[in-house]
């Protein structure tokens, strides 16, 4: 390997998957002091990489100037101006990243691409003859890409990436002295990954009744409206959805005592700051390799069912029709984990 190296890392989406690159990238940079990394990703995700030395960010706008084949070529022309880039790490392996790599192949760039283990995941999620075993984690799959480029990438020590950040001025009133601050993120991209909202609302009520502050996280108008109603109806509950920038939300998350999340992005965001996470899994399963950085197995809430997981991403309807993977989880199971972890 050259004395100095600059790698372009490609990972366009989604938020949770991009967040999972952060601890791996930090580890690789710490273990390879001659290395610089530039990440190309959705512009919204830039705050995820703030504070990592020798880590640079290039925003991609895949819905406007970088849309389609012409847009990806425009992105390539912008990136190739960084003449110091001499290798490509594709942590996404989708059509867009493949097109971008194709343009770079005309140069002398060394290229490595993630192995997503599609065949293994298909065997894990199929209805019949399911092979139920833990697969290689996504963090490890990311690390292997860097090893293919001749870099040291040891991720055994899964320590927090970032320190606690100052609470934004607009959120200061939520952090009262003497109260545990528990984050709850009840939503996920797909219904099959969500604990029933009426049950989660009861969990929130019980946590708030124990003199804790509960902060609610979500995104989009519909989610924000639901969380705002919970704030209106329950004492000691505050919704942060839609009220702060992404960077400010990260700072708020860094100050939590505990984060309660589905198998979704907030689980990964909290893990970056070493915030203890209680994660609730339904149609998906930790075996697929998408657990958060440093997540302890005892902090996972799930039901033992023959049909789980029925998909890798939770994007397929429940073929049983009863959503048993979530409905079998009692509220007490979740509360017990939170109470044990937070001593609330």
């Amino acid at each position: 390997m050259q004395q100095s190296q600059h790698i372009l890392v490609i990972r366009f989406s989604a938020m949770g998957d991009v967040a999972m690159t952060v601890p791996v990238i930090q580890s690789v940079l710490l273990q390879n002091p001659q290395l610089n990394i530039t990440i190309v990703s959705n512009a919204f995700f830039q705050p995820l990489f703030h504070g990592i030395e020798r880590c640079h960010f290039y925003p991609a706008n895949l819905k406007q100037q970088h849309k389609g084949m012409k847009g990806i070529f425009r992105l390539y022309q912008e990136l190739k101006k960084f003449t110091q880039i001499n290798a490509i790490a594709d942590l996404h392996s989708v059509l867009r990243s493949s097109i971008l790599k194709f343009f770079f192949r005309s140069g002398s760039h060394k290229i490595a691409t993630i192995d997503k283990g599609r065949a293994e995941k298909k065997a894990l999620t199929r209805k019949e003859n399911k092979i139920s075993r833990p697969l290689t984690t996504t963090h490890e799959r990311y690390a292997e890409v860097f090893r293919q480029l001749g870099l040291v990438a040891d991720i055994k020590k899964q320590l927090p990436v970032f320190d606690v950040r100052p609470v934004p001025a607009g959120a200061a009133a939520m952090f009262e002295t003497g109260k545990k601050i528990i984050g709850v993120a009840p939503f996920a991209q797909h219904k099959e990954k969500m604990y029933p909202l009426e049950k989660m609302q009861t969990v929130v009520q019980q946590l708030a009744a124990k003199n804790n502050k509960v902060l609610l996280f979500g995104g989009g108008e519909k989610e924000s409206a639901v969380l705002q109603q919970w704030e209106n109806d329950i004492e000691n509950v505050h919704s942060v959805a839609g009220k702060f920038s992404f960077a400010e939300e990260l700072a708020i998350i860094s100050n939590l005592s505990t984060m309660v999340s589905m198998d979704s992005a907030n689980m990964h965001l909290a893990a970056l700051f070493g915030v203890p996470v209680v994660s609730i899994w339904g149609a998906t399963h930790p075996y697929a390799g998408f657990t958060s950085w440093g997540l302890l197995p005892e902090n996972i809430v799930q039901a033992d069912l023959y049909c789980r997981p029925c998909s890798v991403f939770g994007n397929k309807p429940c073929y049983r029709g009863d959503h048993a993977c979530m409905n079998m989880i009692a509220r007490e199971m979740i509360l017990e984990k939170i109470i044990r972890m937070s001593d609330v």
Side-chain angles (χ1 to χ4, degrees):
M1 191 180 69
Q2 300 176 3
Q3 187 174 3
S4 62
Q5 190 169 3
H6 194 136
I7 293 178
L8 177 69
V9 172
I10 307 169
R11 179 74 223 197
F12 293 128
S13 63
M15 184 186 291
D17 297 297
V18 175
M20 292 178 78
T21 71
V22 177
V24 177
I25 286 171
Q26 187 208 46
S27 297
V28 170
L29 285 167
L30 289 173
Q31 294 166 41
N32 299 271
Q34 78 291 346
L35 178 67
N36 276 268
I37 286 177
T38 291
I39 296 110
V40 57
S41 188
N42 185 314
F44 182 80
F45 301 142
Q46 187 165 0
L48 285 171
F49 301 92
H50 285 173
I52 301 178
E53 292 185 9
R54 291 178 282 117
C55 181
H56 317 280
F57 189 91
Y58 195 87
N61 191 330
L62 300 174
K63 293 184 178 180
Q64 295 182 15
Q65 67 264 36
H66 301 137
K67 182 179 180 179
M69 179 74 79
K70 290 184 179 179
I72 296 295
F73 182 67
R74 184 177 295 112
L75 179 60
Y76 161 71
Q77 289 180 310
E78 295 169 8
L79 290 168
K80 75 174 183 178
K81 295 176 183 177
F82 298 100
T83 55
Q84 72 274 25
I85 291 175
N86 45 36
I88 312 294
D90 180 2
L91 304 186
H92 206 168
S93 189
V94 292
L95 180 59
R96 286 168 173 159
S97 65
S98 296
I99 294 171
L100 186 56
K101 287 185 297 183
F102 172 79
F103 294 133
F104 272 105
R105 288 186 192 279
S106 59
S108 58
H109 302 87
K110 187 174 181 180
I111 298 175
T113 302
I114 188 172
D115 175 8
K116 290 186 172 181
R118 290 185 173 92
E120 298 172 291
K121 290 173 181 174
K122 185 175 181 180
L124 176 66
T125 57
R126 64 195 179 197
K127 291 183 183 179
E128 305 294 335
N129 302 314
K130 186 187 294 291
I131 301 177
S132 185
R133 63 182 179 87
L135 305 183
T136 303
T137 68
T138 300
H139 293 113
E140 178 60 28
R141 293 184 190 277
Y142 287 159
E144 179 57 30
V145 177
F146 292 104
R147 295 185 197 117
Q148 291 175 32
L149 297 174
L151 297 164
V152 180
D154 183 351
I155 60 168
K156 292 184 178 68
K157 295 181 180 179
Q158 298 196 353
L159 302 175
V161 178
F162 301 118
D163 295 327
V164 176
R165 296 177 179 176
V167 175
M174 301 178 187
F175 288 81
E176 293 181 14
T177 304
K179 292 188 177 183
K180 297 281 188 180
I181 310 296
I182 301 173
V184 175
F187 294 99
Q189 185 176 1
H190 304 291
K191 177 184 176 182
E192 278 65 29
K193 293 170 67 173
M194 284 175 51
Y195 192 59
L197 282 179
E198 64 276 9
K199 292 185 178 181
M200 183 54 75
Q201 184 177 11
T202 303
V203 171
V204 169
Q205 288 172 330
Q206 290 184 267
L207 290 173
K210 292 179 178 291
N211 201 33
N212 303 295
K213 282 285 185 181
V214 179
L215 305 188
L216 305 173
F217 295 84
E221 290 184 8
K222 290 184 178 180
E223 293 183 11
S224 297
V226 170
L227 300 183
Q228 185 59 50
Q229 190 61 53
W230 289 11
E231 175 184 322
N232 296 342
D233 295 342
I234 311 171
E235 188 177 356
N236 288 328
V237 171
H238 298 274
S239 171
V240 302
K243 301 176 182 179
F244 299 91
S245 68
F246 182 42
E248 289 173 329
E249 278 203 19
L250 289 175
I252 292 171
I253 288 172
S254 77
N255 285 271
L256 296 176
S257 301
T258 307
M259 170 65 85
V260 183
S261 174
M262 308 300 107
D263 167 24
S264 63
N266 282 285
M267 169 179 70
H268 300 292
L269 300 180
L272 297 179
F273 299 95
V275 174
V277 175
V278 172
S279 63
I280 305 167
W281 296 68
T284 56
H285 198 288
Y287 277 7
F290 291 97
T291 54
S292 59
W293 185 251
L295 179 66
L296 299 175
E298 58 265 32
N299 294 335
I300 295 172
V301 185
Q302 58 185 333
D304 186 12
L305 279 169
Y306 68 91
C307 53
R308 293 186 59 237
C310 58
S311 65
V312 174
F313 305 110
N315 56 343
K316 296 180 180 179
C318 173
Y319 67 80
R320 289 171 44 130
D322 59 359
H323 203 203
C325 56
M326 281 299 190
N327 287 321
M328 285 179 63
I329 297 174
R331 293 181 289 265
E332 291 73 21
M333 293 170 62
I334 300 171
L335 286 164
E336 184 276 329
K337 300 250 184 216
I338 301 170
I339 290 169
R340 177 179 54 78
M341 180 185 295
S342 307
D343 189 28
V344 299

